[in-house]
Amino acid sequence: MFIFIKHYPFRYWPWYLAGLTALILTTFVTTLIPIEIMHIIDSINQKATWLVLKLNVKKLIGLALILAVARTLSRILIFTPGRYVEYDLRKKIHSHLLTLSPQFFRNHTIGDTMSRMINDIQALRLMSAFGFLHIVNTTMIYSLVIYQMVKIHPVLTAWVLTPVPFALLVIRLFVKRLYKITKQSQQQLGQITDFFVESVANMSIVKTFNAEDHIIKEMQKDNERYRNTQISLARIRSTMFPFIATIGSIGQIILLYQGGQEIIQGALTIGQLVAFSSYLALLAWPTAAMSWIINIIQRGLASLERINDILDTASHPQYSLAQHYSLKSSPSIEVKNLSFSYTDNPILSNISFKIPAGKTLGIFGPTGSGKTTLAQLIALNEPLQNGQILFDGHDCTSLNVLSLRNGIAMVPQRRFLFSAPILDNVLFSNPSAPFNIAESAVQRACVHQDIELFPESWKTMVGEKGIILSGGQQHRLAMARGYASDHYVLILDDVLSSVDHETETKMIHELFNQKQRPTTILVAHRISALKSCDHIIVIDQGRIIAQGSHDDLIAQEGIYQSTWQYQQLEVSLNESI
């Protein structure tokens, strides 16, 4: 909590200080108004002159005007930094998310992360603004009101405040339970958000399998759990609020009983009794709002724990390294004794190979052999666990990952396109690049004719995740995005799997028919895509079981040779048909 205050609200201490000053003035003027009312009533009872009475009324009006201005200022000056805190938190979390390894996103769902960035940050804003305002306001009101009441009649003050300690004791009993249920409520809201996002994003699958009723039933289960939790919270609040509000009523009863006796005995004036009643009324709202303030604070603390779960997650270890190394030309890449695992089961074991500068490495293997993981590691998307990856002899783990990534372009197996025009998707990594860069990239990716067929050509909105495009068009457009970036290393992860044989041949020709080629890594299931690679490694169960040129591998018995023979037979059958 202290760290949060230090890093976020404390940065705007001038705002809070100015707001605190306005709040103190507001509270001070608020406590002066009952005094003026007391003077007016006592003046009437004492049959004072109209001049005296008019002067007191003018003072009362002046105090009311000052109160209106000061109260408005106090809210503006305190609520504004609350918005700044919200902005800073969103910016900080977004920046931090960009530095996290894929491991974090495997452990946290999109919906829950969205809920934290929206609902939990709003809760922290409320705690930073409303919470601070009401805590200070309650403290000031109690301090100044009790001071003024003691000045009028100390004994009567003690009588009317007798119920307050009991109220504070009971409130304390609710706090722990309130925090627990509030945290549970926010976790359930995150689950609902995640379920909703997942359902909407995959609506076509839901419709295909006629699973609408099942989705609704599952959503109803989550809603029912959330509803029950909210009812539990409502029960606590509905118990606390009336109890605290009753304290004010008990105080008024004590005031009328004890104060009435004091008036009969001549120890208290009617004006003083009215002032006491006004002061009790001033205490009524802070006392009644105490349960709401506690709820805001507890919700803020629960949200802070969920936000810290993100911020405390360590970034990719190479983000913090100061040593930068930018690729200036196609580098040689060497992998030494590389091993990796997501869980206890190893995905890659003792992988070693070298790619000379400007050459192409092909990676072949059955499904689940670790090809994509190897590509992700070379692209520096996953932090290394064991082994080394060297670019031009420089160990990547000793260099800043951002500087290295500037020279690497990867087209992943699971392509993703933004809901934006085709041109913006192609020039995503370099928006200021001239149009001829985009045009050259789509021609190399063999998607230029497809773009021209769209009514709006380059301005065509591809829709969320490229929904208006076929699978092959999506892969080729993603490949064009890779070509359009400034890169010296190109990693293509099974991008040819969703295109026909003729298109594949054209794409391979464009890939290899370049005068200045980047150091390229091509992952493929079709061996026809790997034939032109300078070197090929065959991976099975996370280990290299064979390597060499295409001619070397088809001469050896193994999965490469058998797959090649099968695929050649398949091509021959298709041509004969």
Side-chain angles (χ1 to χ4, degrees), residues 78 126 141 156 195 231 257 279 454 522 539:
I78 291 176
L126 287 174
I141 283 284
L156 186 58
F195 185 85
I231 289 174
Y257 178 80
Y279 282 131
F454 289 117
L522 178 60
I539 299 178

Side-chain angles (χ1 to χ4, degrees), residues 78 106 127 144 147 298 330 361 379 399 431 451 455 488 546:
I78 291 176
R106 288 193 286 267
M127 186 174 70
L144 292 176
Y147 170 74
Q298 294 301 320
S330 302
L361 173 74
L399 305 172
I451 295 174
Y488 299 101

Side-chain angles (χ1 to χ4, degrees), residues 147-418:
Y147 170 74
Q148 294 288 2
M149 291 170 71
V150 169
K151 280 179 63 178
I152 297 173
H153 201 297
V155 176
L156 186 58
T157 302
W159 274 107
V160 297
L161 294 179
T162 302
V164 173
F166 295 101
L168 297 176
L169 181 63
V170 173
I171 289 171
R172 186 178 179 183
L173 299 176
F174 285 103
V175 169
K176 187 175 181 180
R177 176 69 176 164
L178 186 65
Y179 174 79
K180 181 180 178 181
I181 298 181
T182 300
K183 184 179 179 182
Q184 181 181 340
S185 168
Q186 288 165 286
Q187 290 173 340
Q188 290 174 346
L189 183 60
Q191 292 170 358
I192 290 174
T193 305
D194 182 59
F195 185 85
F196 180 77
V197 169
E198 194 175 57
S199 300
V200 173
N202 297 283
M203 189 58 68
S204 59
I205 297 176
V206 173
K207 290 180 178 179
T208 301
F209 288 93
N210 196 26
E212 290 90 345
D213 291 340
H214 172 70
I215 291 295
I216 291 172
K217 288 178 182 178
E218 291 299 316
M219 190 70 173
Q220 286 175 341
K221 289 179 183 178
D222 289 342
N223 281 334
E224 187 70 20
R225 283 192 292 267
Y226 184 65
R227 172 181 171 273
N228 292 336
T229 303
Q230 289 298 311
I231 289 174
S232 298
L233 280 174
R235 284 184 182 140
I236 294 176
R237 289 195 293 264
S238 62
T239 304
M240 289 176 63
F241 191 86
F243 178 82
I244 296 172
T246 302
I247 301 302
S249 301
I250 294 174
Q252 290 285 357
I253 294 171
I254 294 174
L255 174 63
L256 291 175
Y257 178 80
Q258 193 67 28
Q261 293 185 43
E262 296 289 338
I263 290 176
I264 293 171
Q265 295 171 6
L268 192 71
T269 66
I270 295 177
Q272 289 174 329
L273 181 68
V274 172
F276 252 88
S277 179
S278 299
Y279 282 131
L280 282 179
L282 288 177
L283 292 179
W285 164 245
T287 306
M290 200 173 293
S291 61
W292 182 60
I293 297 170
I294 291 172
N295 181 50
I296 286 178
I297 294 173
Q298 294 301 320
R299 186 182 172 196
L301 292 175
S303 296
L304 182 60
E305 185 175 333
R306 283 163 54 81
I307 292 297
N308 282 337
D309 181 49
I310 296 177
L311 296 178
D312 291 343
T313 302
S315 300
H316 189 297
Q318 292 171 241
Y319 268 88
S320 58
L321 296 179
Q323 187 175 356
H324 289 253
Y325 177 76
S326 298
L327 299 175
K328 302 298 182 182
S329 60
S330 302
S332 63
I333 301 176
E334 184 175 5
V335 175
K336 289 184 177 180
N337 304 318
L338 185 65
S339 297
F340 186 85
S341 63
Y342 294 110
T343 57
D344 295 334
N345 299 322
I347 302 298
L348 298 173
S349 300
N350 200 30
I351 299 290
S352 297
F353 59 84
K354 186 173 182 179
I355 315 172
K359 299 298 183 179
T360 301
L361 173 74
I363 302 178
F364 175 80
T367 301
S369 59
K371 303 185 299 299
T372 295
T373 299
L374 179 58
Q376 291 285 350
L377 287 167
I378 297 174
L380 307 178
N381 291 329
E382 293 276 1
L384 296 186
Q385 296 173 354
N386 293 294
Q388 291 180 299
I389 298 178
L390 297 92
F391 293 85
D392 280 335
H394 299 277
D395 188 347
C396 72
T397 57
S398 64
L399 305 172
N400 184 283
V401 70
L402 290 178
S403 63
L404 279 174
R405 280 184 186 164
N406 285 333
I408 300 175
M410 180 177 183
V411 183
Q413 183 178 12
R414 294 182 179 180
R415 71 276 180 187
F416 180 90
L417 297 175
F418 294 92

